[in-house]
Amino acid sequence: MNFGYLIIVSTSSECDYTKMAYALALSIKITQKPGYNNIALVIDNVDSLQTLNSPWVFDQIINWSEEIFWDGRAWMDKLSPFDNTVCLDADMLFIRDYSHWIDYFIDNSE
């Protein structure tokens, strides 16, 4: 199974979506089983990752600035490096294992 989470962030003067995505990625790495913890980050400013303590939490980093915020989600099927993808908002956290939902979604999708 080639599964992963896709997080799309854009630069904003109102909040630091890169740090939010980082916290989300850390929570995924801590709570999800291997194979269910792959993360691809789509970001318009790769240089902002240098401020993070452990940017390794992102398995793949995709530099892309064609669209911003919600508009970028229209491209998630083209941007995702995974066969099966769940796109997440950066302002989320995982507090327990949700891999059983991933199996359900994959088994029940076209």
Side-chain angles (χ1 to χ4, degrees):
M1 172 180 64
N2 183 6
F3 167 77
Y5 295 101
L6 185 69
I7 307 168
I8 302 172
V9 298
S10 297
T11 304
S12 170
S13 60
E14 296 177 17
C15 24
D16 191 342
Y17 288 104
T18 302
K19 284 190 180 172
M20 285 188 224
Y22 177 63
L24 170 58
L26 286 171
S27 74
I28 289 170
K29 293 295 185 184
I30 291 169
T31 61
Q32 304 310 294
K33 295 188 274 190
Y36 297 87
N37 64 351
N38 299 313
I39 305 161
L41 176 70
V42 177
I43 188 165
D44 64 349
N45 180 10
V46 175
D47 293 337
S48 67
L49 298 175
Q50 294 177 5
T51 63
L52 305 177
N53 290 332
S54 303
W56 56 262
V57 297
F58 302 111
D59 297 293
Q60 295 192 35
I61 298 169
I62 302 161
N63 188 19
W64 189 73
S65 59
E66 300 299 314
E67 303 284 346
I68 59 169
F69 298 107
W70 283 101
D71 295 333
R73 293 188 180 225
W75 297 93
M76 69 179 153
D77 62 324
K78 303 281 190 251
L79 292 168
S80 178
F82 310 113
D83 294 331
N84 299 289
T85 305
V86 171
C87 189
L88 300 172
D89 287 341
D91 62 352
M92 302 172 66
L93 292 175
F94 278 35
I95 56 172
R96 65 182 188 89
D97 181 20
Y98 295 105
S99 58
H100 62 284
W101 282 109
I102 302 309
D103 291 333
Y104 177 82
F105 292 146
I106 291 171
D107 292 342
N108 293 286
S109 65
E110 297 178 12

